[in-house]
Amino acid sequence: MFKGNYDLFQTIDAYRDLPGITHLEFNYPEHLQGYDLEEIRQHMGSLGVNGVALRFRGNEFMEGEFTGTDREVSRQSVELCKEAADACQALGGQVITIWLGFDGFDYPFQVDYEKNWNIIVKSFQEIADYAGEKGLKVSIEYKPCEPRAFSMIDGIGLTLQMIDEVDRPNIGVTLDFCHMLMKRENPAYSLALAARKNKLYGLHMNDGYGELDNGLIFASVSLPQALEFVYYLKKYRYDGVVFFDSFPVREAADQEVSANIEAFMALSDAIDKYGMDRIEDVMKGQDGIKAQKLVLDMFSK
Ligand SMILES: [Mn+2]
């Protein structure tokens, strides 16, 4: 199911029937090109649109979405983000998510870091101002590398630094679980750093082995870290959408979506049953043995 030549309306219909699905997200422009947005909105029915994620497709972007040498391409990228904001608004979404896959470098002496950093700050300011007028949020999804050897915005630290310098009320961060693991971050720590600043705008839940962007089912590999992550979502009362960004390559997409939802709910239930207070009590001791035992206890019985 969900393979091959599904058009967008068929895809929406198929997702509508899956238990636990409340919202969908679309990639811009690829998913939305050639469609009437009002028609899509009508077709969504009870399903909400969380937002729109930018996809910079085309060789012209490969030198950097915002920081390539051709200033015309930088302009085009900023305009594409503004168009995505228009589409997001038309669909009733809240947030545009921007992953800058090409704004990075591969070689020493290849780029002027400060110059390019400043270009990214200015680009985000322009996009955030435009989106802000429409009541939309702009969220930065970071990834340490790939396709570039180094990304300009590679982890939670640089993302928060960027957010600070962009200095707009509507710019925040989307945490992708695999990307955090690739950066060798502990995901719950990244979450806490973003949430304490009220900048946690989105989640891309998935899992992997840390080296690559495997896009596996949530909590399938990194169960204790996923459990801790869900605990912190509750602690900070995250009330946004839980979006799953896993890649069903050989799996049936509908089954994988359900597996993601079931995994998330199972961890959430385990935390609720055990009790936030009891978890907090264990953490007060900062004791490694007790922390490890806590994970097992939460799944016993
Ligand atoms: Mn992602």
Side-chain angles (χ1 to χ4, degrees):
M1 201 183 169
F2 285 77
K3 298 281 182 190
N5 295 320
Y6 266 71
D7 83 354
L8 197 58
F9 295 114
Q10 289 173 297
T11 308
I12 292 168
D13 288 338
Y15 276 110
R16 197 197 316 281
D17 296 335
L18 292 178
I21 294 266
T22 58
H23 293 75
L24 297 179
E25 279 206 11
F26 300 105
N27 288 348
Y28 189 86
E30 54 194 336
H31 289 162
L32 298 174
Q33 236 163 9
Y35 287 100
D36 180 85
L37 297 181
E38 187 46 39
E39 224 177 303
I40 294 175
R41 191 177 178 159
Q42 296 291 331
H43 200 83
M44 291 287 285
S46 58
L47 284 175
V49 173
N50 183 46
V52 167
L54 265 298
R55 285 292 176 272
F56 300 90
R57 299 281 189 218
N59 289 341
E60 66 271 28
F61 298 115
M62 283 179 70
E63 233 196 323
E65 291 91 343
F66 297 147
T67 64
T69 51
D70 186 344
R71 302 311 301 146
E72 194 41 51
V73 172
S74 310
R75 187 92 313 269
Q76 231 178 289
S77 296
V78 170
E79 292 308 319
L80 193 70
C81 293
K82 291 181 180 177
E83 284 172 27
D86 293 342
C88 185
Q89 187 186 36
L91 291 168
Q94 314 289 320
V95 58
I96 62 166
T97 306
I98 303 175
W99 164 54
L100 298 174
F102 298 122
D103 277 324
F105 50 94
D106 307 305
Y107 293 96
F109 298 107
Q110 188 171 15
V111 303
D112 179 328
Y113 306 115
E114 184 177 348
K115 184 186 102 197
N116 285 1
W117 176 270
N118 291 339
I119 289 170
I120 296 172
V121 172
K122 285 212 163 57
S123 304
F124 274 130
Q125 283 173 333
E126 188 178 336
I127 295 161
D129 286 341
Y130 184 87
E133 281 171 24
K134 296 169 176 291
L136 299 175
K137 296 192 272 193
V138 177
S139 196
I140 302 172
E141 180 182 2
Y142 63 84
K143 187 180 179 188
C145 56
E146 214 280 305
R148 301 306 296 261
F150 290 86
S151 300
M152 285 297 289
I153 307 178
D154 72 339
I156 189 64
L158 287 188
T159 304
L160 291 173
Q161 176 76 24
M162 179 56 69
I163 287 169
D164 206 46
E165 292 189 30
V166 171
D167 195 24
R168 296 294 187 272
N170 61 327
I171 186 131
V173 56
T174 290
L175 298 174
D176 183 299
F177 210 88
C178 264
H179 298 182
M180 292 187 279
L181 296 174
M182 288 170 76
K183 181 62 184 163
R184 211 185 166 275
E185 289 174 3
N186 188 52
Y189 183 25
S190 310
L191 188 166
L193 289 172
R196 70 187 276 275
K197 296 271 192 185
N198 274 321
K199 289 299 186 183
L200 182 58
Y201 284 4
L203 304 175
H204 279 191
M205 297 291 88
N206 50 27
D207 208 346
Y209 293 94
E211 207 163 334
L212 304 170
D213 195 8
N214 300 115
L216 303 181
I217 294 163
F218 180 63
S220 56
V221 177
S222 317
L223 192 118
Q225 284 172 303
L227 188 64
E228 189 194 27
F229 190 87
V230 176
Y231 163 77
Y232 274 89
L233 283 177
K234 288 174 184 289
K235 182 180 154 86
Y236 285 102
R237 302 181 192 283
Y238 176 76
D239 61 359
V241 165
V242 179
F243 178 84
F244 295 102
D245 187 13
S246 71
F247 321 143
V249 180
R250 274 158 287 275
E251 296 71 21
D254 54 344
Q255 286 176 24
E256 180 150 329
V257 170
S258 297
N260 273 313
I261 294 172
E262 281 166 29
F264 190 91
M265 293 315 294
L267 301 199
S268 174
D269 289 348
I271 292 163
D272 289 345
K273 271 188 202 133
Y274 194 84
M276 296 289 285
D277 293 351
R278 285 172 72 197
I279 298 171
E280 238 167 86
D281 278 346
V282 171
M283 288 173 60
K284 276 182 194 145
Q286 300 198 21
D287 182 316
I289 306 290
K290 286 184 180 149
Q292 190 270 344
K293 191 174 176 302
L294 172 68
V295 174
L296 296 179
D297 284 350
M298 285 170 71
F299 287 108
S300 64
K301 277 175 276 162

